[in-house]
Amino acid sequence: MALDLTSTTTLRNGVKMPWLGLGVYKAREGTEVINAVKAALNTGYRSIDTAALYENEEGVGRAIKESGIPREEIFLTTKVWNTDQGYDTTLKAFNESRRKLGVDYIDLYLIHWPVKEKFIDTWKALETLYREGQVRAIGVSNFQIHHIEELKKHSDLLPMVNQVEYHPLLTQKELLQYCKQEGIQLEAWSPLMRGNNLDHPTLTALAEKHGKTPAQIILRWDLQHGVVTIPKSVREHRIKENADIFDFELSPAEMDQIDAMNQNHRFGQHPDHFKF
């Protein structure tokens, strides 16, 4: 299990990915995202997750460069947006993201959503980028089991990561088990439920017991389920707080208590009903 902020999981192709990273969704381009990324890197984070949709790739790239931390020590993720999906357009979008980030390669490139009738061609573009060495790992985001099964019909190369909405109100146990069986690393976006339900009695009781915050309890629960997590914050004290989860452990009974909070409730859109 993850022991500290530098601990990593090993993806199916041997690439090591940090268990905990910083998400920068809705972090404003410019000073806000630059300061957030720098704060995370100074705290010891080595994984940063952005996307073309977030419109802050330039700031992320600038922060990484100004941090002074060697590029090879940072695990950088970005994603191709829905309107850019398709083979040629994905390759073009990738080059644009790489230009904005100011890097020679991307560590993890994801298909942001499973756009029907496009995600197969998009995946083929990701395979090309991977085989050319322009990305170290490729994966998907918001894919359900049936989407991955469809990919399997057209490729021998399975996603290395599947980033999905995952939190105590949406435990997605079937998907988690499937990904483990297939050797796909599940990664949680919106792990803290966008700030909702942090006052749930189960979370507050466990927080009091362990001397932690409800958010820290959730992030620890993620890791103990073998799920990579990327909580988003632009506040330095919160970024540091989110990383302070390696000095305690939840018991099996406590893990079950949090699992029992599940309501199959989404704060984001359902992948099968997304208005592309």
Side-chain angles (χ1 to χ4, degrees):
M1 193 55 253
L3 299 176
D4 57 45
L5 192 48
T6 65
S7 297
T8 58
T9 180
T10 302
L11 304 181
R12 62 187 301 122
N13 66 338
V15 167
K16 295 186 181 302
M17 178 181 188
W19 281 108
L20 186 72
L22 176 74
V24 297
Y25 176 56
K26 289 192 175 179
R28 291 189 295 272
E29 177 65 289
T31 303
E32 184 172 82
V33 75
I34 290 171
N35 288 344
V37 172
K38 283 184 175 179
L41 294 174
N42 288 337
T43 298
Y45 287 71
R46 289 298 179 266
S47 175
I48 308 295
D49 180 279
T50 184
L53 175 72
Y54 304 168
E55 297 183 341
N56 56 21
E57 290 173 313
E58 289 186 10
V60 169
R62 179 177 164 187
I64 289 173
K65 187 172 295 184
E66 293 179 358
S67 74
I69 296 169
R71 169 69 185 93
E72 61 271 17
E73 293 183 15
I74 297 172
F75 191 93
L76 182 58
T77 301
T78 192
K79 314 171 191 77
V80 57
W81 184 238
N82 304 335
T83 52
D84 290 322
Q85 287 198 38
Y87 186 84
D88 292 331
T89 45
T90 292
L91 295 178
K92 182 178 178 181
F94 172 82
N95 286 326
E96 181 65 7
S97 285
R98 188 171 56 178
R99 182 191 68 77
K100 288 181 176 179
L101 288 161
V103 295
D104 295 328
Y105 65 93
I106 303 292
D107 294 281
L108 177 62
Y109 198 45
L110 303 176
I111 301 177
H112 210 146
W113 288 86
V115 179
K116 191 176 181 181
E117 298 175 354
K118 283 190 175 182
F119 71 78
I120 297 297
D121 286 340
T122 304
W123 183 248
K124 290 178 179 177
L126 265 62
E127 289 180 310
T128 295
L129 293 168
Y130 177 68
R131 291 185 173 119
E132 290 178 349
Q134 298 190 65
V135 294
R136 297 177 66 225
I138 54 176
V140 295
S141 182
N142 302 301
F143 274 50
Q144 299 291 286
I145 292 173
H146 69 90
H147 296 120
I148 299 174
E149 285 294 309
E150 185 65 23
L151 277 185
K152 287 170 70 174
K153 296 177 184 177
H154 301 275
S155 172
D156 293 329
L157 192 59
L158 275 176
M160 293 145 200
V161 173
N162 185 16
Q163 183 186 119
V164 300
E165 182 177 355
Y166 179 89
H167 47 69
L169 298 184
L170 184 67
T171 57
Q172 304 216 62
K173 285 194 172 184
E174 185 181 0
L175 179 61
L176 175 59
Q177 185 60 33
Y178 171 86
C179 286
K180 285 183 176 181
Q181 290 174 350
E182 295 291 342
I184 300 169
Q185 176 62 55
L186 200 71
E187 180 178 16
W189 64 256
S190 197
L192 302 180
M193 304 178 286
R194 297 184 177 174
N196 294 283
N197 296 93
L198 293 179
D199 58 351
H200 190 285
T202 295
L203 298 175
T204 55
L206 289 172
E208 183 176 355
K209 178 181 177 181
H210 289 281
K212 293 292 180 178
T213 66
Q216 290 169 326
I217 294 295
I218 292 172
L219 297 176
R220 183 70 200 189
W221 171 81
D222 280 351
L223 299 188
Q224 288 185 217
H225 269 312
V227 176
V228 168
T229 187
I230 46 170
K232 175 259 177 179
S233 182
V234 295
R235 298 182 179 136
E236 184 172 5
H237 77 279
R238 193 72 71 195
I239 290 169
K240 290 180 178 179
E241 184 179 277
N242 288 340
D244 187 20
I245 58 173
F246 299 101
D247 59 352
F248 76 105
E249 187 169 340
L250 297 168
S251 70
E254 290 169 337
M255 292 290 288
D256 289 343
Q257 288 178 346
I258 300 173
D259 288 351
M261 290 173 56
N262 181 57
Q263 299 175 8
N264 295 323
H265 178 79
R266 295 178 183 271
F267 293 98
Q269 295 195 54
H270 193 294
D272 289 332
H273 307 298
F274 192 101
K275 294 179 173 58
F276 295 112

